[in-house]
Amino acid sequence: MSDKKVATSPDDRTVIGITFGNSNSSVAHTVDDKAEVIANEDGDRQIPTILSYVDGEEYYGQQAKNFLVRNPKNTAAYFRDFLGKDFKSIDPTHNHASAHPEDANGAVTFTVKDKEGEDAEPSKLSVDEVAARFFRRLVGSASDYLGKKITSAVITVPTNFSDKQKSALIAAATAADVEVLQLISEPVAAALAYDARPDTEVKDKIVVVADLGGTRSDVTVLASRSGMYTVLATAHDYEFHGAALDKVLMDHFAKEFLKKNPKSDPRENARSLAKLKLESESTKKALSIGANASFSVESLADGIDFASTINRLRYEMIARGVFEGITRLVSSVIKKAGLDVLDIDEVILSGGTSHTPRIASNLAAVFPESTAIQSPSTSATAVNPSELQARGAALQASLIEMYEAEDIDQSTHAAVTTVPHITNAIGVVSRSPSGEDVFIPIVQPETAVPTRRTVFVPAPKDGGDVLVRIVEGNTHIKVTQPAPKAAAANGGSRAAKVEDADDSDADESDSEEEEDDDEEKREKVWKIGATVAEAAIRGVKKGGKVEVTINVNADLSVIVTTREVGGKGGVRGVISA
Amino acid sequence: MISTLTIPALPEGWAAEKDFKPIGKITKDHATQRTIEPVGPHFLAHARRARHKRTFSEDDRIQAQERAKKVEENDESDISEPEDPMLLARDAKDWKNQDHYKVLGLSKFRYKATEEQIKRAHRKKVLRHHPDKRAATGKTEDDSFFKCIQKATEVLLDPVTRRQFDSVDEEAEVEPPTKKQLTKGNFYKLWGNVFKAEARFSKTHPVPLFGDNKSSKEDVEAFYNFWYNFDSWRTFEYLDEDVPDDNENRDQKRHTERKNANARKKKKVEDNARLRKLLDDCSAGDERIKRFRQEANAAKNKKRLEREAAEKKAADDAAAKKAADEAAAKEAEEKAKVDREAGKKAKEAAKTAVKKNKRVLRGSVKDANYFVAGDASAATIDAVLGDVELVQAKVDPEEIAALAAKLNGLKVADEIKAVWKEEVGRLVAAGKVKEAEIKALN
Ligand SMILES: Nc1ncnc2c1ncn2[C@@H]1O[C@H](COP(=O)(O)OP(=O)(O)O)[C@@H](O)[C@H]1O
């Protein structure tokens, strides 16, 4: 892999973070350790991943996107996901309204007229070439902005990018004269963008990153332990995404248009369709901010202008299927990770579609109050979801820019990244005021080892000799059923159901709502597992505290150190692996 | 919360070398070799520690990667089903009648297919059948089957329409077994499959299983109970004959809607009846129910018989006791009678003996001529007989008999007198008779 890379000496580097999306790309750099997304010459921070050729002139980004109406055949869009793939295994769905991917002995190509002149021969551009050209533009405009040539970048990739796709991406960047310092996972970049904010304390947590883009939605469950991330589960969805929301609005406005102009369906003509799509997308974006949005297209179909408005409520109703699909997708990944919504500490909404308030509020409804939902509409401190990945990449770039390429390569090596993770939590047994044994976690499950964690627990009021019992622990979900009164009523009506055929749909939704009212209560509780070790701390002072430190070594042996806070000595013991 | 929790006091008698006691080990699970993301400042610190200026070879990399737990599945779907040419030739306009699962190659899964499976199947079909791809490879641009694929996905990815389709998915139905099938045995498997399929319509889960001939009475009862009260989400919208369309006027629309609602209701009633019949048929042939009934009957009978036996035994016992008592009473009575009679006889015999003996006693003094020579005077006789009377009155019959025995055969007056004298002496000595009372026999 590394043979193709261009290596720049650390001293000569100017680095950026790049997110190279299937719909949009973005570039960020760091200023005083803070990541900032760079606007291109058009003032865009989200730059459509599109190239368009008109009269031998190359356009990229939003300008190229606008050419989807007048010049679709010479416009290449949605090609990122084709890198490193055979023609056989690509999905051309989103390319229908632009240059179609073609099969060149298995390789994916686009045929576009990229040279000037009426009768200039169209060129067959491989997807690698298209990507390289796009990179050149993207990085070029960032170089212009920074006033110096960008040499190197960290680029984000989906978690399911294969080695082949990665190689192709590196090759494309290399062809654009960009040294790829590292490829990092998109959801991890998003998590880093949050966690690297100043004053953010490092906490052990389980994070769900929902990356909702234009043509795909990728959801990842991450364990974050001591600021290190482990992917626990992922799902990739190609059904519920931004384009599906565009489609909902396209159909809505097409029908509105048809009511007035029954003979002109804007969906049946390529140019009308392209206009319909562009305007639907901007109406959709406007609905993320306002309660109302307008839709207005000159000469939508058959020369007829069309203007309309839609309010958010209506939009949320017609788009319900997509919104709910996204919620189900998120739930399914948590289940895949063997976790419960109660295990999730934070949900990071990333990607353009994550601006949609309803998606965030639907998710908030699924998670407990204690789960932080990071999205513009649910949190005042949320980072712009469209910028998360580029920022994360920029932060990573600034972290590693001083290292030799070889050094980076060795450090990101599987031999370094593959480490044992403990299965169960390790903790100490405490006593509640009512005399019950309660588990206090010290090291959370799914923590990479070696690791070291400390907790402080008060001794009994009067001090004295205390027992530090180190045990394994596990969580389970405790479900408390609602008051039995309601249940009895339900049971009664249920018994009569088979006979009761009149039971109309309206009744049914009613009874469902009733059931919602007395929802069962679910809570996460720790269960004390096997004892690992016991230690005694003697003569603890009145009102004293006990400090317990657990070191788990790479071989899963454990060192327990415990003492009275402020006291001398203490106990140290080793549990062999 | 933690502040209210405290470290417990050391139990009495706890002791360990250096106050530390290792007891177990932490759970080792080889599956938890995971890949940490090489991102962020904390990873950098980790990498520094892990590497120690070491350089890893490609081999190290491969080995480490193989150990790591995989979280990414292959994007390629493992679902594969040959495509039926008839299916490929379908007209998308007729989507209502298409088998959506078959179109996506999910015939084997149907209502059991997960949402993820549907998505993967869809993607697989798109990769193969997208019209732009077909065109690019020089195949026909006919996108009819592609539209079928899109429609199938649309229906199956919306939980509401998917239920509507699943409600009427004939391919998922399991017909109740015929009599002929049942004659071959397999009753439990055949009916079990029927209910397993019907269970897809259940609003509540888990649905009790049909079980087999070893199922307990409680389980079988719970099963039938559940199913006779089945709460089904099955709906029949999918079979609506007319779909109201936006262009119709309100009245027309309302009319169509009403017609549809009635048709659905009717189908729902029929479906409930169908399920009921299914249950009736199944339970009618369910040997377990018969057996439980027989067992219940047998148990009831057994109880009855036991009760009857107990009652009979009690009656018998009472009768026997009564008879025994009566016999005993009778016997006692008879014995008493015999005794009485024997007593009477003995008494009479004794009386006779006494009489006889008294006669001997009296005879003896007469034989001894009242112990005088010549004719005894009346006074003498009186005196002697008076003494005899006195002695007789003072002694019991045995003594009389003994006395009689001594006297019997004696003819000599003196001998007789001696006997009497001895007797009188004895009685005087015993205090029974006073010296003075005796007049002649002293
Ligand atoms: N403010 C917004 N509200 C709703 N949708 C948005 C907004 N901004 C961008 N989007 C949508 O997000 C999608 C692009 O997301 P992005 O993360 O850039 O995509 P990708 O990861 O596919 O490159 C598009 O469908 C776009 O319409």
Side-chain angles (χ1 to χ4, degrees):
Chain A
M1 213 194 299
S2 52
D3 48 339
K4 278 190 232 146
K5 281 190 202 167
V6 279
T8 307
S9 127
D11 298 336
D12 303 331
R13 280 187 187 133
T14 301
V15 303
I16 52 168
I18 299 178
T19 174
F20 175 45
N22 206 37
S23 315
N24 295 297
S25 297
S26 244
V27 174
H29 70 139
T30 54
V31 183
D32 301 334
D33 292 336
K34 273 184 67 190
E36 263 176 25
V37 175
I38 299 171
N40 70 356
E41 55 278 10
D42 298 329
D44 293 329
R45 290 184 167 77
Q46 270 66 58
I47 298 155
T49 309
I50 305 180
L51 278 182
S52 186
Y53 293 92
V54 182
D55 301 330
E57 187 91 41
E58 184 185 77
Y59 297 87
Y60 88 111
Q62 190 59 45
Q63 292 189 33
K65 190 169 179 175
N66 294 337
F67 278 122
L68 284 172
V69 176
R70 281 193 288 118
N71 184 34
K73 282 203 165 61
N74 296 311
T75 304
Y78 305 107
F79 52 83
R80 197 260 331 241
D81 279 357
F82 300 161
L83 276 172
K85 285 204 159 186
D86 304 337
F87 184 80
K88 192 170 97 271
S89 53
I90 62 157
D91 173 3
T93 301
H94 299 285
N95 307 75
H96 188 66
S98 57
H100 290 191
E102 288 158 15
D103 184 1
N105 293 324
V108 181
T109 58
F110 294 92
T111 303
V112 291
K113 245 169 80 175
D114 60 345
K115 293 187 194 76
E116 202 177 3
E118 273 300 291
D119 39 38
E121 272 297 301
S123 306
K124 262 190 184 303
L125 305 180
S126 68
V127 66
D128 309 75
E129 172 63 17
V130 174
R133 288 186 184 185
F134 181 78
F135 261 116
R136 210 168 284 139
R137 299 299 302 269
L138 191 69
V139 176
S141 103
S143 292
D144 289 347
Y145 174 88
L146 293 177
K148 50 187 166 179
K149 191 185 170 316
I150 286 158
T151 59
S152 320
V154 167
I155 307 177
T156 64
V157 289
T159 57
N160 66 342
F161 243 40
S162 67
D163 285 344
K164 245 180 110 186
Q165 288 173 289
K166 288 178 186 170
S167 302
L169 176 59
I170 291 169
T174 307
D177 205 16
V178 177
E179 177 198 27
V180 179
L181 294 175
Q182 190 186 357
L183 298 181
I184 66 173
S185 286
E186 289 172 350
V188 180
L192 181 65
Y194 269 104
D195 290 342
R197 289 184 300 177
D199 306 328
T200 306
E201 57 171 318
V202 177
K203 266 196 304 210
D204 286 351
K205 56 188 177 181
I206 303 282
V207 182
V208 170
V209 181
D211 178 7
L212 313 175
T215 58
R216 52 189 288 175
S217 288
D218 301 282
V219 184
T220 308
V221 179
L222 288 175
S224 168
R225 305 285 184 239
S226 303
M228 286 199 284
Y229 306 97
T230 307
V231 174
L232 298 182
T234 64
H236 311 285
D237 167 90
Y238 304 91
E239 309 284 348
F240 302 116
H241 40 52
L245 292 170
D246 297 342
K247 174 84 171 24
V248 164
L249 285 170
M250 286 163 72
D251 285 337
H252 170 78
F253 289 115
K255 278 184 196 153
E256 291 252 296
F257 186 78
L258 272 170
K259 267 188 202 158
K260 290 179 193 150
N261 312 284
K263 288 204 180 60
S264 308
D265 189 336
R267 290 169 297 187
E268 272 160 20
N269 164 295
R271 182 177 277 213
S272 299
L273 188 67
K275 285 182 181 176
L276 185 65
K277 176 157 168 72
L278 271 184
E279 183 64 5
S280 291
E281 188 183 0
S282 60
T283 303
K284 175 187 75 175
K285 288 184 187 175
L287 283 167
S288 291
I289 306 161
N292 281 289
S294 61
F295 175 97
S296 164
V297 180
E298 264 176 51
S299 177
L300 178 56
D302 298 328
I304 308 165
D305 295 350
F306 181 65
S308 180
T309 58
I310 184 168
N311 65 33
R312 197 189 274 173
L313 239 85
R314 175 98 187 120
Y315 168 57
E316 289 176 350
M317 209 171 81
I318 60 177
R320 212 178 87 175
V322 180
F323 294 159
E324 287 177 354
I326 288 171
T327 307
R328 287 198 306 275
L329 176 69
V330 171
S331 304
S332 76
V333 196
I334 294 167
K335 204 168 141 201
K336 211 176 189 181
L339 298 174
D340 187 273
V341 287
L342 295 175
D343 292 311
I344 309 302
D345 300 291
E346 190 175 340
V347 178
I348 294 176
L349 280 156
S350 165
T353 301
S354 288
H355 286 278
T356 314
R358 190 54 189 248
I359 292 176
S361 65
N362 281 359
L363 285 176
V366 170
F367 289 92
E369 296 264 332
S370 54
T371 307
I373 310 285
Q374 305 283 20
S375 90
S377 62
T378 50
S379 160
T381 56
V383 178
N384 181 347
S386 295
E387 297 191 349
L388 283 168
Q389 294 176 11
R391 286 183 186 226
L395 290 162
Q396 178 68 7
S398 83
L399 275 174
I400 61 174
E401 65 177 321
M402 294 315 293
Y403 292 85
E404 298 286 350
E406 173 60 19
D407 223 10
I408 297 169
D409 217 45
Q410 283 291 325
S411 292
T412 56
H413 201 290
V416 175
T417 58
T418 307
V419 293
H421 285 58
I422 61 163
T423 318
N424 295 320
I426 304 171
V428 61
V429 176
S430 67
R431 192 72 39 93
S432 75
S434 55
E436 276 166 274
D437 282 347
V438 178
F439 180 85
I440 297 178
I442 303 175
V443 189
Q444 295 281 350
E446 298 301 353
T447 300
V449 296
T451 190
R452 172 199 169 92
R453 292 287 193 292
T454 300
V455 289
F456 299 92
V457 189
K461 234 181 31 254
D462 298 326
D465 297 351
V466 296
L467 175 73
V468 177
R469 181 152 74 98
I470 304 297
V471 296
E472 286 195 305
N474 254 319
T475 57
H476 69 114
I477 304 299
K478 193 175 130 200
V479 181
T480 319
Q481 294 300 336
K485 140 195 144 284
N490 272 346
S493 68
R494 199 156 276 168
K497 274 269 169 67
V498 171
E499 261 105 8
D500 185 11
D502 295 87
D503 181 53
S504 76
D505 291 352
D507 285 344
E508 227 162 81
S509 62
D510 269 353
S511 68
E512 252 163 43
E513 239 152 48
E514 266 169 46
E515 275 168 22
D516 273 0
D517 278 347
D518 33 54
E519 244 179 290
E520 57 189 23
K521 193 172 144 228
R522 306 175 74 251
E523 45 194 332
K524 184 170 121 177
V525 287
W526 284 103
K527 220 172 73 199
I528 295 174
T531 301
V532 182
E534 288 178 348
I537 304 289
R538 299 192 188 267
V540 177
K541 283 196 307 286
K542 235 176 140 132
K545 268 192 170 191
V546 174
E547 175 186 319
V548 187
T549 298
I550 299 285
N551 269 289
V552 187
N553 298 319
D555 64 354
L556 294 181
S557 62
V558 178
I559 300 167
V560 179
T561 355
T562 177
R563 62 186 184 105
E564 183 183 352
V565 177
K568 283 211 189 77
V571 176
R572 183 175 185 278
V574 179
I575 301 147
S576 59
Chain B
M1 181 202 167
I2 283 188
S3 61
T4 68
L5 300 173
T6 56
I7 285 281
L10 196 66
E12 205 66 48
W14 190 97
E17 195 184 325
K18 290 188 175 154
D19 275 349
F20 184 83
K21 205 192 277 180
I23 292 173
K25 291 184 190 312
I26 66 168
T27 305
K28 257 195 203 178
D29 185 344
H30 64 274
T32 52
Q33 286 277 349
R34 289 186 186 272
T35 305
I36 38 177
E37 297 292 318
V39 172
H42 301 276
F43 173 79
L44 227 52
H46 163 83
R48 263 197 302 271
R49 285 193 302 269
R51 280 185 58 201
H52 284 308
K53 299 201 182 77
R54 251 192 299 166
T55 304
F56 297 104
S57 67
E58 189 66 6
D59 259 8
D60 297 332
R61 195 178 70 84
I62 291 164
Q63 270 177 24
Q65 231 156 22
E66 275 167 2
R67 278 203 315 269
K69 181 167 173 158
K70 251 180 91 184
V71 283
E72 283 301 335
E73 296 130 45
N74 210 332
D75 232 10
E76 278 298 299
S77 161
D78 48 347
I79 304 155
S80 73
E81 196 171 290
E83 289 172 335
D84 175 357
M86 290 284 281
L87 192 71
L88 294 175
R90 278 200 71 94
D91 184 353
K93 283 204 201 75
D94 188 29
W95 65 269
K96 266 250 158 167
N97 292 314
Q98 83 183 12
D99 178 344
H100 301 310
Y101 290 111
K102 198 166 171 196
V103 166
L104 292 181
L106 292 166
S107 304
K108 284 202 297 285
F109 299 93
R110 304 217 161 257
Y111 61 92
K112 292 187 210 113
T114 64
E115 184 165 359
E116 189 165 354
Q117 274 175 321
I118 294 167
K119 287 175 180 174
R120 282 168 177 271
H122 176 220
R123 197 160 161 79
K124 191 171 183 183
K125 293 291 176 196
V126 169
L127 296 189
R128 181 184 278 169
H129 293 285
H130 196 285
D132 289 350
K133 265 181 112 170
R134 295 172 68 85
T137 46
K139 287 188 201 125
T140 106
E141 222 170 311
D142 172 23
D143 63 350
S144 190
F145 185 63
F146 182 69
K147 282 187 180 144
C148 295
I149 293 168
Q150 297 303 84
K151 201 67 209 181
T153 308
E154 186 188 316
V155 169
L156 297 182
L157 276 187
D158 178 335
V160 174
T161 49
R162 184 173 179 193
R163 276 199 165 181
Q164 290 173 0
F165 178 70
D166 282 343
S167 285
V168 298
D169 181 4
E170 285 169 6
E171 296 298 321
E173 255 159 49
V174 176
E175 289 295 323
T178 60
K179 285 221 176 69
K180 203 166 147 209
Q181 283 173 308
L182 286 171
T183 52
K184 296 205 188 96
N186 276 342
F187 177 87
Y188 300 104
K189 205 176 139 213
L190 292 169
W191 277 108
N193 288 341
V194 172
F195 288 106
K196 228 180 263 167
E198 291 292 329
R200 70 193 188 275
F201 301 125
S202 183
K203 278 189 195 165
T204 39
H205 286 275
V207 174
L209 294 175
F210 188 54
D212 55 24
N213 62 351
K214 288 186 199 68
S215 301
S216 71
K217 187 162 176 252
E218 289 70 37
D219 287 347
V220 174
E221 275 171 1
F223 174 85
Y224 281 106
N225 232 332
F226 181 90
W227 281 95
Y228 271 112
N229 296 305
F230 192 62
D231 193 3
S232 158
W233 53 253
R234 193 172 193 185
T235 62
F236 294 92
E237 275 102 323
Y238 204 83
L239 303 178
D240 285 353
E241 272 168 30
D242 295 309
V243 181
D245 103 39
D246 292 340
N247 297 330
E248 284 173 33
N249 71 36
R250 271 174 98 107
D251 283 348
Q252 251 175 326
K253 234 166 122 177
R254 210 170 287 159
H255 174 73
T256 318
E257 271 162 12
R258 201 170 315 126
K259 219 174 82 189
N260 285 339
N262 284 335
R264 288 178 204 163
K265 208 178 271 181
K266 186 158 162 273
K267 293 202 181 82
K268 182 82 179 169
V269 171
E270 284 165 5
D271 188 50
N272 287 338
R274 178 193 62 87
L275 180 60
R276 191 160 272 274
K277 173 149 191 319
L278 216 60
L279 281 161
D280 290 346
D281 288 350
C282 176
S283 58
D286 195 334
E287 292 296 333
R288 295 174 302 183
I289 296 183
K290 273 183 218 147
R291 200 181 69 227
F292 294 142
R293 201 176 293 141
Q294 277 164 7
E295 278 169 9
N297 280 343
K300 234 194 311 186
N301 278 343
K302 197 173 151 216
K303 251 195 210 142
R304 200 194 68 221
L305 289 176
E306 272 169 10
R307 199 187 57 233
E308 282 174 3
E311 278 168 5
K312 186 164 177 289
K313 186 166 180 293
D316 285 356
D317 285 355
K321 189 171 180 294
K322 198 174 158 209
D325 286 353
E326 276 169 8
K330 202 165 152 205
E331 200 183 332
E333 200 178 310
E334 259 156 29
K335 189 170 175 282
K337 197 166 145 202
V338 168
D339 285 354
R340 245 191 343 265
E341 262 154 36
K344 216 151 115 195
K345 266 189 198 148
K347 246 193 215 152
E348 257 154 42
K351 238 189 203 162
T352 324
V354 169
K355 248 188 226 164
K356 210 174 104 198
N357 290 335
K358 280 185 180 170
R359 228 176 11 251
V360 171
L361 300 188
R362 265 199 311 272
S364 71
V365 289
K366 190 178 166 214
D367 285 351
N369 199 28
Y370 306 106
F371 312 115
V372 287
D375 285 345
S377 65
T380 303
I381 293 168
D382 257 6
V384 171
L385 284 180
D387 283 356
V388 170
E389 290 286 315
L390 183 73
V391 170
Q392 273 177 0
K394 297 294 175 185
V395 297
D396 55 32
E398 279 104 70
E399 287 165 325
I400 292 177
L403 188 58
K406 280 183 197 162
L407 291 169
N408 221 349
L410 292 182
K411 294 285 181 230
V412 182
D414 283 349
E415 285 173 3
I416 291 168
K417 180 132 186 205
V419 171
W420 276 108
K421 263 185 156 170
E422 187 193 359
E423 183 64 13
V424 168
R426 188 180 71 85
L427 288 174
V428 171
K432 286 187 182 170
V433 174
K434 286 190 188 111
E435 195 79 72
E437 286 177 288
I438 301 301
K439 299 206 171 86
L441 293 176
N442 44 13

